């Protein structure tokens, strides 16, 4: 099992550009999450999904969009990138059982200039 | 606003000492608790989970939970330089299926 994979690892965007951060998991997990992590600030939840076709906002959803058309994939879309979106983005997934371990992907380091 | 608070760091201990990391949470509905370790530039990895009051030991790590006081701690015995990392405390509430993370505390183990 590859677990949770994310692409790209690094990206530099110009202000106003758009991009999609990819996330795939091969553990057949229902729950998937997108976090951003700024230095010294812990993990902030952007969006999450409890299954294919179902998504919901987290703490900091503004400027982002998500979709979940399959169990495996949970892409995060940035429209009109802003410097405030410079951060490290982590995707995570978790199975249905309560409690269960939440697995993280390796992260995408995004810089908006 | 449901919060998880971790005592401010950084924390520095000498090699071989016990490192004590503390965490409090505000949501009494939280059911389970997790400690993640995050090395610089890497993603968080789970090192301990605890679901009921008391202690849970795994090798050099002991997690402690006191639901009445809404307090979780992680003890690292015989600390090693390889334990130097940021430790994140997280609380899970089944009602919203989400983990709430603390800001983390950076531990440095001096050789």
């Amino acid at each position: 099992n590859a677990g949770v994979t994310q692409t790209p690892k690094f990206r530099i965007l110009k202000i106003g550009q758009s991009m999609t951060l990819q996330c795939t998991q091969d553990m057949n997990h229902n729950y998937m999450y997108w976090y951003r992590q700024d230095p010294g600030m812990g993990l902030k939840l952007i969006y999450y999904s409890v299954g294919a076709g179902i998504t919901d906002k987290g703490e900091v959803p503004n400027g982002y969009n998500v979709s979940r058309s399959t169990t495996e994939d949970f892409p995060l879309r940035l429209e009109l990138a802003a410097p405030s979106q410079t951060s490290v983005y982590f995707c995570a997934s978790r199975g249905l059982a309560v409690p269960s371990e939440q697995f993280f992907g390796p992260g995408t380091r995004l810089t908006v200039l | 606003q449901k919060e998880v608070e971790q005592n401010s760091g950084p924390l520095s201990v000498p090699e071989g000492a016990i490192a004590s990391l503390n965490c409090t949470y505000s949501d009494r509905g939280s059911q389970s608790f997790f400690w993640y370790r995050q090395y610089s530039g890497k993603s968080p990895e789970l090192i301990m989970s605890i679901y009921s009051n008391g202690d849970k030991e795994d090798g050099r790590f002991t997690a402690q939970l006191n639901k009445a006081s809404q307090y979780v701690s992680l003890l690292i015995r015989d600390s090693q330089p390889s334990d130097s990392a940021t430790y994140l405390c997280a609380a899970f509430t089944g009602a919203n299926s989400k983990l709430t993370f603390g800001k983390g505390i950076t531990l440095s183990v001096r050789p």
Side-chain angles (χ1 to χ4, degrees):
Chain A
N1 282 358
V4 182
T5 57
Q6 292 182 239
T7 55
K9 286 186 169 55
F10 304 94
R11 183 73 183 268
I12 297 175
L13 282 182
K14 294 182 179 178
I15 294 172
Q17 288 185 319
S18 301
M19 75 165 294
T20 299
L21 281 65
Q22 302 292 346
C23 175
T24 300
Q25 53 92 9
D26 62 0
M27 297 173 282
N28 201 33
H29 284 169
N30 284 67
Y31 296 99
M32 296 188 74
Y33 307 86
W34 273 106
Y35 296 90
R36 59 176 289 172
Q37 186 176 41
D38 301 320
M41 295 302 294
L43 292 159
K44 298 292 186 184
L45 183 65
I46 305 171
Y47 270 95
Y48 68 104
S49 170
V50 301
I54 306 170
T55 63
D56 206 350
K57 296 178 180 178
E59 301 172 74
V60 290
N62 291 346
Y64 307 95
N65 273 301
V66 293
S67 60
R68 184 96 181 270
S69 56
T70 67
T71 298
E72 296 78 19
D73 300 306
F74 190 40
L76 178 71
R77 178 81 178 162
L78 278 73
E79 305 281 3
L80 299 174
S84 61
Q85 293 177 304
T86 294
S87 190
V88 180
Y89 292 83
F90 290 105
C91 180
S93 73
R94 182 176 71 77
L96 268 178
V98 177
S100 63
E101 180 178 352
Q102 184 164 301
F103 295 87
F104 284 84
T108 294
R109 186 174 295 273
L110 175 68
T111 302
V112 181
L113 300 175
Chain B
Q1 181 80 1
K2 299 176 175 55
E3 293 182 343
V4 173
E5 301 279 348
Q6 294 184 243
N7 52 344
S8 58
L11 176 65
S12 180
V13 301
E15 186 174 353
I18 296 174
S20 177
L21 312 177
N22 303 317
C23 173
T24 58
Y25 59 95
S26 63
D27 184 4
R28 284 197 172 275
S30 297
Q31 302 163 307
S32 45
F33 305 88
F34 303 86
W35 283 98
Y36 283 81
R37 178 177 61 199
Q38 186 176 23
Y39 291 114
S40 180
K42 301 294 186 183
S43 58
E45 59 175 326
L46 183 68
I47 55 171
M48 286 291 285
S49 58
I50 187 164
Y51 315 128
S52 54
N53 280 331
D55 295 0
K56 179 182 177 184
E57 188 173 317
D58 184 0
R60 295 185 296 110
F61 299 97
T62 299
Q64 300 173 316
L65 173 61
N66 183 325
K67 289 188 176 180
S69 301
Q70 296 177 246
Y71 176 88
V72 190
S73 67
L74 179 70
L75 299 178
I76 306 174
R77 291 182 299 281
D78 188 23
S79 295
Q80 301 296 309
S82 58
D83 295 325
S84 298
T86 296
Y87 290 81
L88 300 166
C89 174
F92 177 79
T93 303
N96 57 23
S97 305
K98 292 182 284 187
L99 277 178
T100 301
F101 285 86
K103 291 185 178 180
I105 182 168
T106 298
L107 171 66
S108 175
V109 181
R110 309 186 300 272

